[in-house]
C-alpha cells in the first residue's frame, strides 16, 4: 500500500507545482512571423528570367519577350531538388532589374504572356507555387524595385505599377513566406525606349511604408527582406558569410535599401539595435546569379558549401542558396549533384546529438519549468534559465564515459530577446578545466567547429550577456570527416603540396599512376617533382579505416627556369590559374632555359568572374634562338567561351628552347589573355 501512495503523491505534487514566472523580455524581440521563419534556416533562391536567355547578370530592359523560351522548363524539378537537399522553401525572381515578369501580369506587355514559352499561355509563378506545395516547400518571391524596362520608372506612376504587380503576386498564388526587395536600384536603362540614366532617391521614391502596409495586409505572415528589413536583413555580402558576432538587433530606422555604408556599418547587426531584424546570407552555387554555360565547371565544391553553412547558419543567420536555372529551364546536373552531396553531409554532421546521453548540471535554475534538462530535448520552446540578475552561469555535461566530438551547437530562446555576448567551452582534464573554444554571440543558432576532442565532462560557461541567458538547446556532435580527395597546388620549382580536406585525415599518394592505398607513400611534407609524371592521391580516415576516391594529377616539367620575353607575363607561368596576363601584341613568348622535347602545350584561359580576350584561334611556334620562329601547330579552341577549362594541343615530338603562343583571334576581339601556359613532354 505504502509503495503505491508515494509515487502517486509525487505525481500529484508535480501537477500542483506551478511553473516559475518567465523572465522579462530583453528588447527588441521577434514578431511571431519572425519566430516561425527562423526555424526554416535553409532555403533556396531561383534566378531564372530573361537574363537566363540573354546570358547576362543584369539585363538592360530592351530584351524582346520572344527571347524567353524553352520546352523543358520544369519547376517541379527545382522543387524536388530543393526538398531533397533539405531546403524548406524557394524564392524566385518574379521580376529582376530588366523588368520582364514571369506571370501574365495585367499591367505590362513585358511578360511571359508575350513570350514563345507555352505560346504565351504559361504562368511560371503559378507552376512554381504549385510545385512548392507538392514538395512541402514554402514559396517566396523576389521583386526588383528597379525596373529598367518600364517607361515610367522614376515617376510617381511607376509606384502605382509596382503596387499593382505586388497585389497580383500576393493575392493570386497562395501563401507567400518571403518577399525579397533587392537593394540595387537606379541607373541607366531602356525605360520604354528613352535609353537614359534615371536615378531615384532610394529612401523616399518607393514610398516604402505604403508598400510594407500592402504586403502586411495581403500576406500577414510574409517576411519582408531588404538591406534593412523590415523583417529580415541582408548579411552585407554575396558570399554567404555572417559574422563572428552577429546580432539579430538592428538600428532599423537608420537603414534603407541600397545605402552605401550598409555592409560595413550595419550588416552584422548591433547589440543595442532597436528592432529585431535577423540576418539572411545569400549566395549563389556558382559565381553568377544567373546561368552561364561557361560556369558549368565552377559550381561550388563541397568544402566551399560547408564553409558557407557553418559561417551562416552556424552564425545566427538563415541561408539562401541560389540555383542559376539553365537555359533548358532545369537545375543543371552539376548543381544538383553539389547540393545533394551538401545536404547529405549536413545530415550526417548532425545525425546524433551526444549531449542527449549526458547528465547535466547547472549553476542554478529559475525553478520548475526552467531546469537544465530542457536544453537536451529537441523542443525549441523549452529552455533553461536562471533567477534574475545572474548573467554569468554554467552548464556541466557528464557523458558517463570518454567520448570524441568536434562540434558544439547552442540555441538561445529568442522570443524573449538575444542576450549572450560571450561564452566558452571547456573539458575536464585531470580535475582541471581546459579551454576548447570560445565565442561571442549565439542568437537563434551558433555552431562552433574544432578538432576532435576527447572528454567525459565538459563545461559551457556563459561569460557575459545583456541579461540572464535563455538556452533552448545544447548539441554536441562528432561530425564524420570530410572524406574526399585532397586538393593540391604546385610551385614553379615543381614542388607539389597536398591539402587535406579535413583535420585528422592522412594522405597517401603514388608517383607511378597506381591507385593510392595505405601501402603507398604517406604525405608528410611537400613533394619535389622535377619530371613529368602522374601523381595520384587519396585521403584516409585512420578512425574508420575508409579511403576517399583518388585524385589524378598529371604533372609536367617545372617552370622555374622559364623566362617570358615580357616581364609581367610571369603571371601566365606562375602555376596560379587565378592570375592572368593580358598581352598587348596577342603573343606570349617564352625561353624554356634549355632545349626540351615537346609533344604539346596547354592553355588555361583566364578564370576571373568577367573574362575577356579568350583565345579562340591560335598558332603555336618554336624557335632555337628566340629570333627565327617556325609554326608547328595551328587551330581552334572551339568551345572555350562556354567551357573555359584547360585546353590541350598535341603534336609530333619536336625539340625547342623557345616557344610562342599567338592569338590569331580572340572571342570578343579584345587583347588576348593568358591564365596559364604549360608544356606536354609525355
Ligand atoms: C543583387 C542583384 O543585383 C543580383 O542580380 C542578384 O539578384 C542578387 C541576389 O541581388 O542585388
Amino acid at each position: 500500500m505504502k509503495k503505491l501512495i508515494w509515487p502517486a503523491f509525487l505525481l500529484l505534487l508535480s501537477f500542483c507545482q506551478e511553473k516559475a514566472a518567465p523572465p522579462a523580455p530583453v528588447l527588441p524581440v521577434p514578431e511571431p512571423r519572425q519566430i516561425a521563419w527562423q526555424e526554416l534556416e535553409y532555403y533556396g533562391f531561383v534566378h531564372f528570367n530573361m537574363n537566363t536567355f540573354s546570358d547576362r547578370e543584369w539585363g538592360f530592359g530592351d530584351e524582346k519577350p520572344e527571347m524567353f523560351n524553352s520546352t523543358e522548363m520544369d519547376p517541379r524539378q527545382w522543387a524536388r531538388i530543393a526538398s531533397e537537399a533539405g531546403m524548406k522553401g524557394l524564392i524566385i525572381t518574379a521580376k529582376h532589374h530588366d523588368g520582364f515578369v514571369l506571370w501574365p501580369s495585367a499591367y505590362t506587355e513585358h511578360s511571359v504572356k508575350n513570350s514563345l514559352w507555352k505560346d504565351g499561355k504559361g504562368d511560371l509563378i503559378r507552376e512554381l507555387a504549385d510545385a512548392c506545395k507538392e514538395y512541402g516547400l514554402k514559396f517566396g518571391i523576389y521583386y526588383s524595385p528597379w525596373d529598367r524596362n518600364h517607361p515610367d520608372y522614376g515617376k510617381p506612376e511607376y509606384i502605382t505599377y509596382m503596387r499593382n504587380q505586388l497585389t497580383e503576386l500576393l493575392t493570386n498564388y497562395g501563401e507567400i513566406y518571403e518577399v525579397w526587395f533587392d537593394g540595387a536600384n537606379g541607373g541607366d536603362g531602356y525605360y520604354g525606349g528613352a535609353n537614359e540614366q534615371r536615378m531615384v532617391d532610394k529612401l523616399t521614391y518607393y514610398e516604402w511604408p505604403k508598400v510594407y502596409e500592402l504586403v502586411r495586409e495581403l500576406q500577414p505572415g510574409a517576411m519582408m527582406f531588404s538591406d534593412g528589413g523590415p523583417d529580415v536583413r541582408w548579411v552585407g555580402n554575396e558570399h554567404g558569410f555572417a559574422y563572428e558576432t552577429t546580432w539579430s538587433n538592428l538600428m532599423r530606422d537608420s537603414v534603407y535599401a541600397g545605402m552605401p555604408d550598409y555592409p560595413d556599418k550595419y550588416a552584422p547587426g548591433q547589440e543595442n539595435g532597436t528592432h529585431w531584424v535577423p540576418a539572411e546570407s545569400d549566395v549563389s552555387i556558382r559565381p553568377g546569379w544567373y546561368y552561364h554555360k561557361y560556369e558549368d565547371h565552377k559550381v561550388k565544391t563541397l568544402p566551399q558549401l560547408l564553409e558557407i553553412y557553418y559561417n551562416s547558419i552556424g552564425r545566427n543567420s538563415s541561408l539562401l542558396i541560389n540555383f542559376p536555372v539553365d537555359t533548358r529551364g532545369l537545375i543543371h546536373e552539376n548543381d544538383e549533384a553539389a547540393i545533394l552531396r551538401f545536404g547529405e553531409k549536413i545530415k550526417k554532421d548532425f545525425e546524433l546529438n551526444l549531449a542527449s546521453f549526458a547528465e547535466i548540471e547547472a549553476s542554478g535554475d529559475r525553478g520548475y519549468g526552467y531546469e537544465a534538462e530542457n536544453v537536451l530535448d529537441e523542443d525549441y520552446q523549452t529552455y533553461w534559465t536562471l533567477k534574475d540578475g545572474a548573467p554569468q552561469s554554467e552548464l556541466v555535461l557528464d557523458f558517463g564515459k570518454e567520448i570524441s566530438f568536434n562540434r558544439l551547437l547552442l540555441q538561445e530562446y529568442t522570443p524573449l530577446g538575444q542576450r549572450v555576448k560571450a561564452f566558452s567551452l571547456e573539458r575536464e582534464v585531470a580535475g582541471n578545466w581546459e579551454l576548447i573554444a570560445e565565442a561571442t554571440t549565439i542568437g537563434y543558432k551558433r555552431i562552433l567547429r574544432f578538432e576532435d576532442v576527447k572528454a567525459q565532462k565538459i563545461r559551457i560557461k556563459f561569460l557575459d550577456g545583456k541579461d540572464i541567458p535563455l538556452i533552448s538547446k545544447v548539441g554536441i556532435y562528432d561530425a564524420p570527416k570530410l572524406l574526399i580527395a585532397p586538393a593540391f597546388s604546385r610551385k614553379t620549382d615543381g614542388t607539389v603540396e597536398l591539402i587535406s580536406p579535413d583535420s585528422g585525415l592522412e594522405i597517401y599518394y603514388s608517383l607511378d599512376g597506381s591507385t593510392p592505398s595505405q601501402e603507398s607513400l604517406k604525405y608528410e611534407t611537400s613533394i619535389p617533382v622535377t619530371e613529368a609524371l602522374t601523381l595520384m592521391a587519396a585521403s584516409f580516415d585512420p578512425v574508420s579505416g575508409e579511403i576517399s576516391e583518388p585524385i589524378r594529377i598529371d604533372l609536367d616539367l617545372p617552370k622555374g627556369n622559364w623566362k617570358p620575353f615580357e616581364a609581367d607575363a610571369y603571371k601566365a607561368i606562375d602555376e596560379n590559374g587565378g592570375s592572368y596576363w593580358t598581352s598587348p601584341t596577342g603573343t606570349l613568348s617564352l625561353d624554356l632555359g634549355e632545349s626540351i622535347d615537346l609533344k604539346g602545350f596547354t592553355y588555361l584561359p583566364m578564370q576571373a568572374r568577367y573574362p575577356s580576350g579568350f583565345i579562340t584561334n591560335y598558332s603555336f611556334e618554336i624557335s632555337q634562338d628566340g629570333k627565327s620562329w617556325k609554326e608547328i601547330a595551328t587551330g581552334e579552341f572551339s568551345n572555350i567561351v562556354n567551357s573555359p577549362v584547360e585546353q590541350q594541343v598535341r603534336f609530333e615530338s619536336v625539340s625547342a628552347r623557345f616557344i610562342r603562343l599567338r592569338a590569331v583571334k580572340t572571342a570578343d576581339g579584345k587583347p588576348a589573355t593568358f591564365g596559364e601556359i604549360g608544356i606536354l613532354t609525355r
Side-chain angles (χ1 to χ4, degrees), residues 45 47 57-58 93 96-97 142 180 182-184 238 282 289-290:
F45 224 167
H47 272 65
E57 281 291 305
W58 283 11
T93 48
H96 204 252
H97 310 326
Y142 163 113
W180 219 90
D182 201 304
E238 292 187 350
D282 60 323
W289 289 100
Y290 279 95

Side-chain angles (χ1 to χ4, degrees), residues 575-587:
E575 294 285 8
N576 172 10
S579 68
Y580 66 94
W581 177 62
T582 308
S583 168
T585 59
T587 60

Side-chain angles (χ1 to χ4, degrees), residues 1 22 92 139 163 165 192-193 257 260 342 358 400 416 427 537 556 559 656:
M1 187 66 183
I92 183 156
F139 178 55
R163 279 208 284 266
Q165 286 205 324
F342 168 65
L416 294 174
R427 66 169 175 167
D556 219 291
K559 301 176 182 175

Side-chain angles (χ1 to χ4, degrees), residues 64-125:
K64 299 270 167 290
E66 305 87 69
M67 286 167 64
F68 185 93
N69 191 18
S70 149
T71 49
E72 288 175 77
M73 215 177 282
D74 185 8
R76 291 184 66 244
Q77 186 240 19
W78 317 344
R80 173 186 58 76
I81 292 169
S83 120
E84 283 176 10
M87 291 176 165
K88 298 286 165 41
L90 274 178
I91 301 176
I92 183 156
T93 48
K95 183 186 86 162
H96 204 252
H97 310 326
D98 58 67
F100 188 78
V101 304
L102 298 181
W103 76 101
S105 170
Y107 301 97
T108 182
E109 294 306 305
H110 202 51
S111 108
V112 285
K113 71 184 178 194
N114 288 319
S115 76
L116 301 177
W117 176 59
K118 296 197 167 170
D119 293 327
K121 305 221 163 45
D123 181 344
L124 199 52
I125 299 298

